[in-house]
Amino acid sequence: MPDTVLDGARYGTFTLRAVSQRGDAARSRGEPRRDVLLTARFGTGDGALVLVAVANGTGAPDAARELCDWIGTAVGRSHTRLAEDIRAARRGALKSGLHRLTDRGYGRLRTRAAELGVDPAAYTAPVRCLLLPAHPDCRVRVFFGAGDGGLFRLRDGVWQDLEPDAREGDTVGGPVLAFGDGRASAPGLPADWEAAPGVTPHDAAPAPADPFRFRASVARPGDTLLMCGTGLAEPLRAERALAAHLAQRWAVAEPPGLAGFLADAQVRVKGYADDRTAAAVWEA
């Protein structure tokens, strides 16, 4: 497991920066990074769809890697339909399909736990994902997943916490102004899409320990959307100095380069030494 992974890209109206780095606590103990970061592009040109998946593997790093791989495979198989649903603002279809996809991912982990003879409750990981269409006329950004972490938006120099409320269960991430009407016109995945062998179908599968989270929103020029694991979300919420520093650094017309983004993500905060994994999206 590399100490640090770093990635970046520019499509349509957005620029992406993503990083996952080992925390100071793991370094001092000689332990590997446990957070997992997956970045992938499916399709080409204006029809491309970019996926970013972040999983916290503190309890089960193998489960975190497997879950990200599963989600990447499933999104890759259905990326054309997902991109169409995003561009057409079919919020209900997206929510239904991505909920099913997420549940099947956790079903796969339960199957794997049974094969390994371990407690399914221990072989799991929180995961959060972003879907970013490359089409320049589409500024819809879709977030989904389960478990703790952070989803923030930097707008006009001020941080907004967009994290869906877990207490609302399956209804989190209500309709966003100017995005759809919440009605599902079709399933978010093709009708012939099937789970991998051994995975319990969505309707019969027990829900993961953490409720499904979903939010779809329309970005404005100048926005910066930040999705991160708990290693960055917790100090960003608790320490005003960190929030102010990143706001000053990132509320700029030109996004930072890879080296600059890595330096920003490495800013130390006393009392917080976990792995840090984050993906930030700048809107031109």
Side-chain angles (χ1 to χ4, degrees):
M1 175 66 76
D3 180 275
T4 302
V5 291
L6 184 66
D7 201 0
R10 179 172 293 182
Y11 296 100
T13 61
F14 74 84
T15 299
L16 171 69
R17 297 286 181 259
V19 65
S20 182
Q21 53 190 330
R22 183 166 57 153
D24 291 340
R27 286 196 183 100
S28 67
R29 295 192 296 263
E31 297 176 351
R33 174 172 55 91
R34 295 180 180 272
D35 277 5
V36 175
L37 170 68
L38 170 67
T39 56
R41 186 205 70 202
F42 302 105
T44 58
D46 289 348
L49 183 66
V50 175
L51 166 71
V52 183
V54 171
N56 184 330
T58 300
D62 289 343
R65 285 191 290 270
E66 186 172 348
L67 187 55
C68 284
D69 286 346
W70 158 259
I71 290 175
T73 300
V75 169
R77 290 183 59 184
S78 304
H79 75 271
T80 301
R81 179 58 179 275
L82 286 168
E84 291 174 353
D85 282 347
I86 293 174
R87 290 196 297 271
R90 300 186 185 116
R91 180 188 178 280
L94 286 164
K95 182 178 178 181
S96 173
L98 294 173
H99 191 175
R100 180 171 57 180
L101 184 154
T102 303
D103 277 5
R104 282 176 168 168
Y106 281 101
R108 185 181 182 92
L109 293 187
R110 288 189 291 272
T111 300
R112 181 60 176 158
E115 294 172 352
L116 297 174
V118 299
D119 182 2
Y123 195 78
T124 189
V127 66
R128 43 197 46 230
C129 308
L130 280 178
L131 291 177
L132 308 167
H135 199 289
D137 293 333
C138 182
R139 289 187 183 266
V140 177
R141 310 297 178 229
V142 176
F143 161 82
F144 70 97
D148 294 333
L151 181 68
F152 306 93
R153 178 171 59 204
L154 182 60
R155 175 172 287 177
D156 298 328
V158 178
W159 285 109
Q160 302 171 351
D161 195 333
L162 304 184
E163 184 72 8
D165 190 346
R167 294 173 298 178
E168 298 179 18
D170 189 37
T171 62
V172 297
V176 176
L177 183 64
F179 183 81
D181 59 5
R183 293 177 294 182
S185 57
L189 297 174
D192 60 352
W193 192 92
E194 296 179 355
V199 178
T200 307
H202 165 73
D203 292 339
D210 293 304
F212 177 69
R213 300 172 188 260
F214 174 91
R215 183 174 292 279
S217 59
V218 178
R220 297 178 185 173
D223 282 356
T224 301
L225 183 67
L226 174 66
M227 179 184 73
C228 54
T230 56
L232 180 57
E234 290 179 353
L236 190 60
R237 289 190 175 107
E239 300 296 332
R240 293 184 177 180
L242 176 63
H245 173 76
L246 293 182
Q248 182 181 27
R249 289 279 301 157
W250 292 352
V252 293
E254 186 64 25
L258 291 177
F261 181 70
L262 175 62
D264 293 339
Q266 288 177 329
V267 174
R268 285 178 167 83
V269 179
K270 185 177 181 180
Y272 298 92
D274 293 339
D275 292 354
R276 283 192 181 180
T277 304
V281 181
W282 278 263
E283 301 289 342

